[in-house]
Amino acid sequence: MAAPTAVHPEIDLSTAGELGQQLRVDSVRSSTSAGSGHPTSSMSAADLLAVLVTRHLHYDWDDPENPDNDHLIFSKGHASPLLYSVYKAVGVVTDEELMTKYRRFGSRLEGHPTPELPWVDVATGSLGQGLPDAVGIGLAGKYVEEAPYHVWVLCGDSEMAEGSMWEALDKASFYKLSNITAIIDVNRLGQRGPTDLSWDTDTYRRRAEAFGARVIVIDGHNLGEIDRAMRQATQDSHDQPTVILARTIKGRGFSEVEDREGWHGKPLPPEMAERAVAELGGERHLTVRGPKPDASSRPARPSADGSGVKLPTYSVGDKVATRMAYGQALAAIGARKDVVAMDGEVSNSTFADHFAQAHPERFFEMFIAEQQLVAAAVGFSARGFKPFASTFAAFFSRAYDFIRMASISRAHIKLVGSHAGVEIGADGPSQMALEDLAMMRAVHGSTVLYPSDATSTVALVAEMADLDGISYMRTTRGAYPVLYQSDEQFPVGGSKVLRSSDHDQVTLIGAGVTLYQCLAAADQLKADGITARVVDVYSVKPIDTDTLTAAAAATGGRIVVAEDHHPEGGLGSAVVDALTGAGRAELSVRHLAVRNMPGSGTSAELLNAAGINAEHIAAAARDLTM
Amino acid sequence: MAAPTAVHPEIDLSTAGELGQQLRVDSVRSSTSAGSGHPTSSMSAADLLAVLVTRHLHYDWDDPENPDNDHLIFSKGHASPLLYSVYKAVGVVTDEELMTKYRRFGSRLEGHPTPELPWVDVATGSLGQGLPDAVGIGLAGKYVEEAPYHVWVLCGDSEMAEGSMWEALDKASFYKLSNITAIIDVNRLGQRGPTDLSWDTDTYRRRAEAFGARVIVIDGHNLGEIDRAMRQATQDSHDQPTVILARTIKGRGFSEVEDREGWHGKPLPPEMAERAVAELGGERHLTVRGPKPDASSRPARPSADGSGVKLPTYSVGDKVATRMAYGQALAAIGARKDVVAMDGEVSNSTFADHFAQAHPERFFEMFIAEQQLVAAAVGFSARGFKPFASTFAAFFSRAYDFIRMASISRAHIKLVGSHAGVEIGADGPSQMALEDLAMMRAVHGSTVLYPSDATSTVALVAEMADLDGISYMRTTRGAYPVLYQSDEQFPVGGSKVLRSSDHDQVTLIGAGVTLYQCLAAADQLKADGITARVVDVYSVKPIDTDTLTAAAAATGGRIVVAEDHHPEGGLGSAVVDALTGAGRAELSVRHLAVRNMPGSGTSAELLNAAGINAEHIAAAARDLTM
């Protein structure tokens, strides 16, 4: 790797201009060599990046873990050739890697950026997510770390059609995040034709201003204008996020594709690439470095010291809603300075308000914007925090793309959804999460927890703080008796056998509200002389395969699973997957789940109508043991 | 039910004022009687609704199926007491039903409105969806039906924080939907405190204007201002959607709760309700009717006549991508005038562009706004159309809450996602749907189809048009050989046994790209003397349990399932659910799925790395049969 020929303190604009051409050339070369990629979407933004990385981005390329570094997020992740060409220009990726590894199997230079690369904070490629993620980073910098780093986000114009971008601007202005600059590459063309606003920067300006941003409209190929706008973004005193609206030309620099339709996401064929490189002035191998961060104001990494944490305890038999235990546990673990929390305007229902009251400086109200809620958590995770985000479990479905991408971002976020299933009662199906377990289980590397009582909830909340990846806890609206002593352990991946004997005839499996129904069913069965084993599967993913297979073996493969969820992909599916994935299995399974469209009613009426209450569980067990 | 005392042609404003008080009284009474609900959120909008239903909503309450009727959508679905009180006021719901059934088990007066009620077009309750749904209805009215009906949408101020509302305004203005009026009830207070913009109607105004709406700011309790605004919305000549920003007071009319925090979503206790009713002037039982629609311009219901449909056919062995077959089939069934299509700015990838070229008058570009994409389909469904919406399969995760709600809306929508799984290759995980089957299976009443070849794709696209509920088809990026003769039938819920004998030792199950891998594995196994049955599970939900159980029985319970999806909730889960749900099962299952985080690469490299190609399938089968 070439040693950087740093031109500090400031690289002149003509060098930046040269760099812009180099970034174009390398975007063309790398995508042509890969046989796929988005050169034209890279070429429109090359001048913006050239000026940014040489003169405004404060970044120590030799130390990507440096907490002082600015952040550079490619919200338009398909412009990865440009990003990786920047990495070559600053000397952290070689030309050889760029030309032989881009988009190849096993390479860190993936088709869209991921944190496999140490300079990438969040994975992008699903449009409209980079700016929302940046809001989380901006919140951390402004309110928790009180650090001077700046968050630069390169956005596409097409992605301004995603509502999430406006959720992000709304929150960035509400929280006065002057540490965020969104650079919008208005190149007029989307994948299949013009964007809905084309080059109408005036409308973009009015929209962004109305959403509270300070807006600077520039010619995105005029180096002086770019430079002034970026200086203004960081140096002027203001309390707004900045939006730089850069009017650009897609494919800029190569006359055969400039501003032409039909060239989105297509590499130039080799001969055409040769002409492009020639027109762009040939290959260059400039290595440049921009300014470094000011180390004097170095923010402290958030402390994970849990010595001040005193978890709440409950007495067996007390009726406590798991959502209440969540709120109380969260407030308690908030003694750790690395724990932050945010909620989607329902903190008095999720009971995240306990944290908000105890630690107002680390609580962020995201209002009714669940995409931004999850994105903020992702941003905090990128800064090393342990973010807990809560809303009604049903409404995390609003953010599923963000959750999926958070997994690709290698983010460590903790999602807690209350009011799950028909148990919620009168509010009706729009408020009933009946797909959440399926949705969360399908996320790569996720952890899915569904405690039944307050004691297990508290233990699992404390564990969640240090779990890697996406973890999800489902909490229940109603208050049910505490089942466990406060010193009981609840390891992730475990389960609890609540009833068992050496002559069990059937295994009853539940979690959350259905565990209580299983216990009641076991009592009913006992009266009939049927002995049932009852398992609390508080950890739905990973699931306790050993305990389940042992229970199946002990009870002749007779299993009743009851869940307050649609039948696909939830608890029953997890149980059956575990039992059939563990070798040859002989099973008689009755899977009780919510198979019809529920309406309003009381919890008891709805659990009965769904066929998941004690009577239905007992009937299924009787049927199996007959 | 009382006969309506119609006061045509126009009810005077003082009567509307009386009605407003009645709506408040009934909102209080109904929610108090139910013991839950949102009276204060209803009271803020009561005057708006009183003026609307008496003087501006053209609706034949005796004939909700009348295609001339205006539409009334409560995007703030929690204001259901107000909506149901309106139904009482127009005489279609009795006071007794309102007082004894609201939010009760088995009642059509659910906590949030659903189309169980004949006057409700779409279910609401997940905020930020009513206005996007209205865009679909507006598109149908303006461009396809060319009908004069108007779409009135009551929105909450809290839900303006949802990006989907801005996606909706963006598309409503792009498509010049002057037939939509959004009435925003700016009552300042959300669930747990003030909204982020409080009563700042000026900022709301600037935002909505920047997004292309014509905005009228009014005092939402001034009947004259309300009336003038609504008249302006429908009578002035303009080509924009209208936003009426109504500044209101939450709990208006009862001094003990007016503009007070802590009263969201809470019924008044009985004694307090008595005081409220007294302060509001007591119970009233006014029955009123507003204007009827103008029947002279009656739009025709969309025709399902398929006589002009000529489906494409393919020759066995030709390599055709299923996404291409989708586009060609969709263009063909577009001969039916009730088929409409829309896409999320990737129609040249999903190949919906074939439809766009053949039937431009029934194709709607929704740009990169997947929530609005699905919502538009829901709106078209409410008007009786058969909407097909397409984007990359991964990006339907952006709209999961809309898909979930579409099911509660009893909508009949057809979603088609291309570029599924690691098969897509170099673009990397952000573009790979690996959770879509799980997500779509978990939706109540959904159909999930995953054809492998062009012939089956075409047959299933044609069937989808007439399927009820949410149907989803997963298509593949690459071109693979046509497997079936063009006269083959592919009923939903069926499967195809592609290889079988009377001495099969193992069953190989695949769909989409993995079916080809199963076929290749069967060839490899044959060389080893192992005879494999191969099943094409093109219908993942409903699944062909009979064929699967027969195959399991014939092959000693030895099953290999391979899927290009994460292991949870997809094809393997569907197969195991089916086999264990059908009675006592003795199974040896090897479930091959994408268990690691993929990167970039070729299809072949990534299928191999995920362990789902022919070699891995054959190895698993050998292991099972050893």
Side-chain angles (χ1 to χ4, degrees):
Chain A
M1 203 172 294
T5 53
V7 200
H8 285 297
E10 199 156 88
I11 292 169
D12 61 33
L13 281 180
S14 70
T15 305
E18 272 300 293
L19 178 62
Q21 292 297 81
Q22 171 174 319
L23 296 176
R24 289 188 173 94
V25 167
D26 289 344
S27 296
V28 168
R29 293 169 65 230
S30 58
S31 50
T32 293
S33 80
S36 69
H38 297 74
T40 57
S41 304
S42 296
M43 294 158 87
S44 58
D47 296 321
L48 297 165
L49 266 289
V51 175
L52 177 63
V53 298
T54 51
R55 296 166 64 93
H56 301 283
L57 181 79
H58 290 71
Y59 201 96
D60 184 348
W61 291 100
D62 297 321
D63 183 13
E65 296 300 313
N66 187 330
D68 306 324
N69 285 337
D70 280 357
H71 291 263
L72 172 59
I73 296 174
F74 265 43
S75 196
K76 54 176 286 187
H78 55 287
S80 59
L82 174 61
L83 182 63
Y84 303 158
S85 297
V86 165
Y87 294 159
K88 172 193 148 179
V90 297
V92 296
V93 160
T94 63
D95 191 70
E96 187 194 356
E97 183 177 4
L98 185 62
M99 293 299 293
T100 63
K101 299 293 185 191
Y102 177 50
R103 286 177 164 257
R104 268 62 145 208
F105 182 72
S107 166
R108 61 181 185 168
L109 301 182
E110 296 185 30
H112 294 77
T114 77
E116 286 286 289
L117 291 160
W119 317 283
V120 173
D121 300 305
V122 292
T124 51
S126 179
L127 289 169
Q129 302 208 12
L131 187 59
D133 290 346
V135 168
I137 299 176
L139 287 170
K142 179 161 183 134
Y143 293 102
V144 190
E145 303 181 271
E146 295 174 20
Y149 59 77
H150 200 86
V151 193
W152 301 91
V153 189
L154 179 68
C155 307
D157 49 353
S158 277
E159 68 180 322
M160 301 310 289
E162 288 282 14
S164 55
M165 297 298 271
W166 301 98
E167 293 181 15
L169 282 178
D170 183 40
K171 291 304 157 293
S173 67
F174 181 83
Y175 282 109
K176 304 183 191 304
L177 299 181
S178 52
N179 54 0
I180 294 181
T181 298
I183 305 163
I184 305 181
D185 178 16
V186 187
N187 67 20
R188 189 186 76 83
L189 291 173
Q191 170 171 325
R192 41 118 299 284
T195 62
D196 55 351
L197 289 181
S198 193
W199 268 325
D200 181 2
T201 49
D202 191 52
T203 295
Y204 283 119
R205 182 184 54 69
R206 284 188 293 118
R207 291 184 181 186
E209 283 179 352
F211 273 75
R214 195 249 312 246
V215 179
I216 308 167
V217 182
I218 61 169
D219 170 353
H221 303 302
N222 181 317
L223 302 176
E225 288 189 28
I226 297 169
D227 191 55
R228 276 192 297 279
M230 291 178 178
R231 196 168 308 277
Q232 231 182 309
T234 51
Q235 295 188 345
D236 283 11
S237 155
H238 60 100
D239 62 359
Q240 295 172 284
T242 300
V243 168
I244 298 176
L245 278 168
R247 182 182 159 126
T248 62
I249 292 169
K250 197 159 176 171
R252 167 76 171 195
F254 181 38
S255 51
E256 295 179 39
V257 299
E258 270 191 355
D259 196 32
R260 298 262 177 96
E261 293 190 33
W263 280 103
H264 179 94
K266 288 186 188 158
L268 305 183
E271 282 191 15
M272 210 170 161
E274 269 184 43
R275 293 197 299 277
V277 172
E279 186 175 332
L280 288 160
E283 282 185 31
R284 294 164 183 80
H285 297 284
L286 207 61
T287 305
V288 297
R289 289 277 171 105
K292 284 197 179 183
D294 176 7
S296 66
S297 56
R298 171 163 298 212
R301 281 296 186 194
S303 163
D305 175 15
S307 57
V309 173
K310 188 165 169 3
L311 293 173
T313 58
Y314 306 94
S315 299
V316 170
D318 283 358
K319 286 193 171 181
V320 184
T322 56
R323 60 183 172 130
M324 176 59 76
Y326 166 66
Q328 294 172 339
L330 184 66
I333 65 167
R336 286 174 58 160
K337 300 291 187 202
D338 62 342
V339 170
V340 295
M342 53 220 71
D343 191 274
E345 221 273 313
V346 289
S347 59
N348 55 339
S349 289
T350 61
F351 292 130
D353 59 358
H354 288 253
F355 183 97
Q357 283 147 24
H359 313 284
E361 74 287 1
R362 277 180 279 124
F363 178 80
F364 298 92
E365 178 57 67
M366 303 313 292
F367 299 93
I368 304 181
E370 294 82 6
Q371 298 183 110
Q372 182 55 68
L373 172 69
V374 171
V378 170
F380 272 107
S381 173
R383 289 299 304 178
F385 288 91
K386 312 292 190 187
F388 284 77
S390 50
T391 182
F392 281 25
F395 303 142
F396 276 119
S397 60
R398 195 62 156 261
Y400 194 35
D401 195 22
F402 284 75
I403 297 167
R404 179 183 78 86
M405 289 297 297
S407 155
I408 304 174
S409 288
R410 281 70 168 170
H412 310 302
I413 61 174
K414 298 98 185 38
L415 308 176
V416 179
S418 67
H419 293 73
V422 302
E423 191 272 347
I424 68 160
D427 272 333
S430 64
Q431 320 292 302
M432 293 171 178
L434 290 165
E435 308 83 359
D436 58 323
L437 297 176
M439 164 180 120
M440 295 295 188
R441 281 182 68 231
V443 171
H444 176 71
S446 65
T447 301
V448 178
L449 305 170
Y450 186 15
S452 300
D453 87 333
T455 300
S456 51
T457 301
V458 169
L460 292 166
V461 170
E463 288 173 71
M464 276 176 95
D466 293 309
L467 286 179
D468 279 349
I470 314 304
S471 53
Y472 172 63
M473 175 180 283
R474 186 189 224 215
T475 66
T476 302
R477 180 175 185 274
Y480 297 89
V482 173
L483 297 171
Y484 300 104
Q485 304 286 349
S486 55
D487 58 352
E488 186 88 28
Q489 302 294 304
F490 296 87
V492 169
S495 67
K496 293 288 171 191
V497 178
L498 281 168
R499 302 278 173 87
S500 73
S501 71
D502 55 9
H503 55 279
D504 293 334
Q505 294 159 270
V506 61
T507 302
L508 311 183
I509 298 174
V513 65
T514 60
L515 179 65
Y516 295 92
Q517 302 297 325
C518 288
L519 291 168
D523 292 341
Q524 295 179 14
L525 290 166
K526 198 171 188 179
D528 299 343
I530 299 170
T531 319
R533 184 168 296 194
V534 178
V535 186
D536 172 4
V537 181
Y538 63 80
S539 180
V540 179
K541 180 184 175 190
I543 197 163
D544 186 353
T545 303
D546 289 350
T547 297
L548 294 176
T549 50
T555 59
R558 288 181 290 273
I559 307 270
V560 180
V561 194
E563 62 180 317
D564 194 357
H565 186 276
H566 286 321
E568 299 86 5
L571 176 65
S573 180
V575 167
V576 169
D577 285 353
L579 292 172
T580 57
R584 192 156 184 87
E586 198 176 343
L587 300 170
S588 295
V589 176
R590 294 298 157 89
H591 180 195
L592 311 184
V594 182
R595 293 177 191 271
N596 292 315
M597 177 63 72
S600 291
T602 65
S603 289
E605 287 165 339
L606 294 168
L607 291 169
N608 181 47
I612 58 173
N613 66 356
E615 286 64 36
H616 286 89
I617 295 168
R622 276 188 213 103
D623 195 39
L624 280 180
T625 52
M626 268 203 312
Chain B
M1 200 172 292
T5 53
V7 201
H8 285 295
E10 199 155 86
I11 292 169
D12 62 34
L13 282 179
S14 71
T15 305
E18 272 300 292
L19 177 62
Q21 293 296 81
Q22 171 174 320
L23 296 176
R24 290 187 172 93
V25 167
D26 289 344
S27 295
V28 167
R29 291 170 65 230
S30 57
S31 51
T32 293
S33 79
S36 69
H38 297 75
T40 59
S41 304
S42 297
M43 293 159 89
S44 58
D47 296 320
L48 297 165
L49 266 288
V51 175
L52 177 63
V53 299
T54 51
R55 296 167 62 93
H56 300 284
L57 180 79
H58 289 71
Y59 200 95
D60 184 349
W61 292 100
D62 297 321
D63 182 13
E65 296 301 313
N66 187 332
D68 306 324
N69 285 337
D70 279 357
H71 290 264
L72 172 59
I73 297 176
F74 265 43
S75 196
K76 54 176 288 188
H78 54 287
S80 58
L82 175 60
L83 182 62
Y84 303 158
S85 297
V86 165
Y87 294 158
K88 171 193 149 178
V90 298
V92 295
V93 160
T94 62
D95 191 70
E96 186 193 356
E97 182 176 4
L98 186 63
M99 293 299 293
T100 62
K101 300 293 185 189
Y102 177 51
R103 289 178 162 254
R104 268 63 146 208
F105 181 72
S107 165
R108 61 182 186 168
L109 301 182
E110 297 186 28
H112 294 76
T114 76
E116 287 285 289
L117 291 160
W119 318 282
V120 173
D121 299 305
V122 292
T124 52
S126 178
L127 289 169
Q129 300 208 13
L131 188 59
D133 290 346
V135 168
I137 298 175
L139 286 170
K142 180 162 181 131
Y143 293 101
V144 191
E145 302 181 271
E146 296 176 18
Y149 60 76
H150 200 87
V151 193
W152 301 91
V153 189
L154 179 68
C155 307
D157 50 352
S158 276
E159 69 179 321
M160 300 311 289
E162 288 283 13
S164 55
M165 297 299 271
W166 302 97
E167 293 182 15
L169 282 178
D170 183 39
K171 291 304 157 291
S173 67
F174 181 82
Y175 282 110
K176 305 184 191 305
L177 299 181
S178 52
N179 54 0
I180 294 180
T181 297
I183 304 162
I184 307 181
D185 177 17
V186 186
N187 67 21
R188 188 184 78 84
L189 290 173
Q191 170 171 325
R192 43 120 294 288
T195 62
D196 55 352
L197 288 181
S198 193
W199 269 323
D200 181 1
T201 48
D202 191 52
T203 295
Y204 281 120
R205 182 183 54 70
R206 285 187 293 116
R207 291 184 181 187
E209 283 177 352
F211 272 74
R214 194 249 313 249
V215 179
I216 308 166
V217 182
I218 60 169
D219 171 351
H221 302 304
N222 180 316
L223 302 177
E225 288 188 30
I226 298 169
D227 190 54
R228 274 191 298 279
M230 291 180 178
R231 196 168 307 277
Q232 232 181 309
T234 50
Q235 295 188 346
D236 283 11
S237 155
H238 61 98
D239 61 359
Q240 295 172 286
T242 300
V243 168
I244 297 176
L245 279 167
R247 182 182 160 126
T248 61
I249 292 169
K250 198 160 176 170
R252 167 77 171 197
F254 180 40
S255 51
E256 295 181 40
V257 299
E258 270 191 358
D259 196 34
R260 298 263 177 96
E261 292 191 33
W263 280 103
H264 179 94
K266 288 186 188 157
L268 305 183
E271 281 190 16
M272 208 171 164
E274 270 183 44
R275 293 198 299 276
V277 172
E279 185 174 334
L280 288 160
E283 282 185 33
R284 296 164 182 79
H285 297 284
L286 208 58
T287 305
V288 297
R289 287 278 170 106
K292 283 197 179 183
D294 176 6
S296 66
S297 56
R298 170 164 296 212
R301 281 295 187 196
S303 162
D305 175 15
S307 57
V309 174
K310 190 169 168 357
L311 293 172
T313 59
Y314 307 95
S315 299
V316 170
D318 283 358
K319 285 193 170 181
V320 183
T322 54
R323 60 182 171 131
M324 176 60 75
Y326 166 64
Q328 295 173 340
L330 184 65
I333 65 167
R336 286 174 57 160
K337 301 291 188 201
D338 61 342
V339 171
V340 296
M342 52 220 72
D343 190 274
E345 221 275 313
V346 289
S347 59
N348 56 338
S349 289
T350 59
F351 292 131
D353 59 358
H354 289 252
F355 184 97
Q357 283 147 24
H359 312 285
E361 75 287 1
R362 276 180 280 126
F363 178 80
F364 298 91
E365 178 57 67
M366 302 314 292
F367 299 93
I368 305 180
E370 294 81 6
Q371 297 184 112
Q372 180 56 68
L373 172 69
V374 171
V378 171
F380 272 107
S381 172
R383 289 298 304 178
F385 288 92
K386 312 291 190 186
F388 283 78
S390 50
T391 182
F392 281 25
F395 302 143
F396 275 119
S397 60
R398 195 64 155 260
Y400 194 35
D401 195 21
F402 284 75
I403 297 167
R404 178 183 78 85
M405 289 297 297
S407 154
I408 304 173
S409 288
R410 282 67 167 171
H412 310 301
I413 61 173
K414 299 98 186 37
L415 308 176
V416 179
S418 67
H419 294 73
V422 302
E423 192 270 349
I424 68 159
D427 273 332
S430 63
Q431 320 292 302
M432 293 171 179
L434 290 164
E435 307 85 359
D436 57 323
L437 297 177
M439 163 181 121
M440 294 295 187
R441 282 183 68 232
V443 171
H444 176 70
S446 64
T447 301
V448 178
L449 305 170
Y450 186 14
S452 300
D453 87 333
T455 300
S456 50
T457 302
V458 169
L460 292 166
V461 170
E463 289 172 70
M464 278 176 93
D466 293 309
L467 286 179
D468 279 349
I470 314 303
S471 53
Y472 172 64
M473 176 179 282
R474 186 189 223 216
T475 66
T476 303
R477 180 175 184 272
Y480 297 88
V482 172
L483 297 171
Y484 300 103
Q485 303 287 347
S486 55
D487 59 350
E488 187 88 27
Q489 302 293 305
F490 296 87
V492 169
S495 67
K496 292 290 170 190
V497 178
L498 281 167
R499 300 279 173 88
S500 73
S501 71
D502 55 9
H503 54 279
D504 293 334
Q505 295 160 272
V506 61
T507 301
L508 311 182
I509 298 173
V513 65
T514 60
L515 179 65
Y516 295 92
Q517 303 295 326
C518 287
L519 290 169
D523 291 342
Q524 294 178 16
L525 291 166
K526 199 172 188 178
D528 298 345
I530 299 170
T531 318
R533 182 167 297 195
V534 177
V535 186
D536 172 4
V537 181
Y538 63 80
S539 179
V540 179
K541 181 185 175 190
I543 198 163
D544 186 354
T545 303
D546 289 348
T547 297
L548 294 175
T549 50
T555 59
R558 287 181 290 275
I559 308 271
V560 180
V561 195
E563 62 178 318
D564 195 357
H565 186 275
H566 286 321
E568 300 85 5
L571 176 64
S573 179
V575 167
V576 170
D577 285 353
L579 291 173
T580 58
R584 191 156 184 88
E586 198 175 345
L587 299 170
S588 295
V589 176
R590 293 299 157 87
H591 180 195
L592 311 184
V594 182
R595 291 177 191 273
N596 293 315
M597 178 62 74
S600 291
T602 64
S603 289
E605 287 165 340
L606 293 168
L607 291 170
N608 182 47
I612 57 172
N613 66 355
E615 286 64 36
H616 286 88
I617 294 167
R622 276 188 212 102
D623 196 40
L624 279 182
T625 52
M626 270 203 313

